Amino acid sequence: QQPVQSPQAVILREGEDAVINCSSSKALYSVHWYRQKHGEAPVFLMILLKGGEQKGHDKISASFNEKKQQSSLYLTASQLSYSGTYFCGTESGYGVIYNQGGKLIFGQGTELSVKP
Amino acid sequence: GAGVSQSPSNKVTEKGKDVELRCDPISGHTALYWYRQSLGQGLEFLIYFQGNSAPDKSGLPSDRFSAERTGGSVSTLTIQRTQQEDSAVYLCASSHPSKNRGYNYGYTFGSGTRLTVV
């Protein structure tokens, strides 16, 4: 089942903060976050593994709560370059069985627009 | 190569014709994935390769779609008897699995092939 992202879209002014949520009905092993700018390929931001890791990437960080089957992406002090569509991708444990990693199922995306 | 290479970048074909889309992953990446993205939509999983074998083909929409991977490298996605609903951007990604814990590192996507069926 496809994870559900919220909100679907958000408009920010430069310097404002945003949170994007990703929720799954299935138990999760890992969560990836990607950003896609218009007309370009998605670009990997970070991966979070089962175990409650929190990662950071400059002013972008994320958390993963496997009990709630949820992940959140935090963008602080947003910059114009943060504009794009953010996708979470979830992996549900194929790799645990086969020790080789499995496919990601992506959410429907959250469109983020940062205005000057 | 330095990145994931896909060809052609654009393909316009007539309904009913067959098309082949090619993906050349990053050297050393054993995992290769095909996704489809329709205009303004999310990423729809099609098929996944680990080496030359495809453990998961569950996303292929119909038996008109097939894919193969040879030499643990280049992959070809073939769509037979194309239909208008096949029009989309087809994205290929590659990654490599961690040595432990059974997960893959982040995907590197190619720029995609934009397929238009007229």
Side-chain angles (χ1 to χ4, degrees):
Chain A
Q1 284 85 348
Q2 184 181 37
V4 176
Q5 288 184 232
S6 63
Q8 290 189 338
V10 60
I11 300 174
L12 300 174
R13 293 286 181 190
E14 253 186 311
E16 291 181 338
D17 301 341
V19 180
I20 300 171
N21 299 303
C22 174
S23 180
S24 174
S25 60
K26 295 182 72 171
L28 301 178
Y29 187 71
S30 68
V31 179
H32 293 215
W33 286 95
Y34 293 79
R35 177 171 60 209
Q36 185 178 32
K37 293 185 180 285
H38 183 69
E40 299 181 8
V43 173
F44 173 70
L45 295 176
M46 65 188 78
I47 179 173
L48 300 106
L49 303 177
K50 186 174 178 178
E53 285 187 82
Q54 184 153 354
K55 287 273 193 89
H57 179 273
D58 195 11
K59 293 191 174 77
I60 300 175
S61 63
S63 63
F64 176 28
N65 185 327
E66 70 260 29
K67 286 185 181 177
K68 292 185 177 180
Q69 296 161 196
Q70 293 176 344
S71 178
S72 295
L73 186 72
Y74 308 93
L75 300 102
T76 58
S78 59
Q79 306 167 15
L80 295 175
S81 61
Y82 286 4
S83 293
T85 302
Y86 288 78
F87 292 97
C88 67
T90 57
E91 202 265 300
S92 298
Y94 182 96
V96 178
I97 300 169
Y98 294 97
N99 197 37
Q100 61 186 8
K103 68 175 185 275
L104 293 178
I105 300 299
F106 287 92
Q108 80 279 18
T110 296
E111 188 170 355
L112 181 78
S113 298
V114 181
K115 309 290 187 185
Chain B
V4 177
S5 177
Q6 291 189 246
S7 60
S9 55
N10 278 287
K11 176 74 177 178
V12 180
T13 189
E14 292 181 352
K15 180 181 171 181
K17 299 278 191 185
D18 298 351
V19 294
E20 284 189 352
L21 312 180
R22 177 189 165 104
C23 174
D24 198 346
I26 292 174
S27 177
H29 279 193
T30 57
L32 185 148
Y33 308 83
W34 284 97
Y35 286 83
R36 178 167 74 172
Q37 188 172 34
S38 300
L39 188 63
Q41 300 298 308
L43 299 154
E44 177 190 2
F45 170 76
L46 298 177
I47 187 170
Y48 152 54
F49 287 92
Q50 185 64 248
N52 289 336
S53 63
D56 194 334
K57 311 178 183 180
S58 62
L60 294 178
S62 73
D63 58 9
R64 296 187 295 105
F65 288 73
S66 63
E68 65 174 11
R69 188 179 186 194
T70 55
S73 181
V74 172
S75 176
T76 302
L77 177 69
T78 302
I79 308 173
Q80 295 179 313
R81 305 181 303 281
T82 51
Q83 304 293 314
Q84 288 186 327
E85 61 263 27
D86 299 334
S87 296
V89 176
Y90 289 80
L91 289 163
C92 173
S94 70
S95 72
H96 62 96
S98 66
K99 292 180 181 175
N100 301 306
R101 303 187 67 179
Y103 67 92
N104 281 336
Y105 290 113
Y107 293 8
T108 301
F109 282 88
S111 297
T113 294
R114 182 176 298 277
L115 177 67
T116 304
V117 182
V118 297

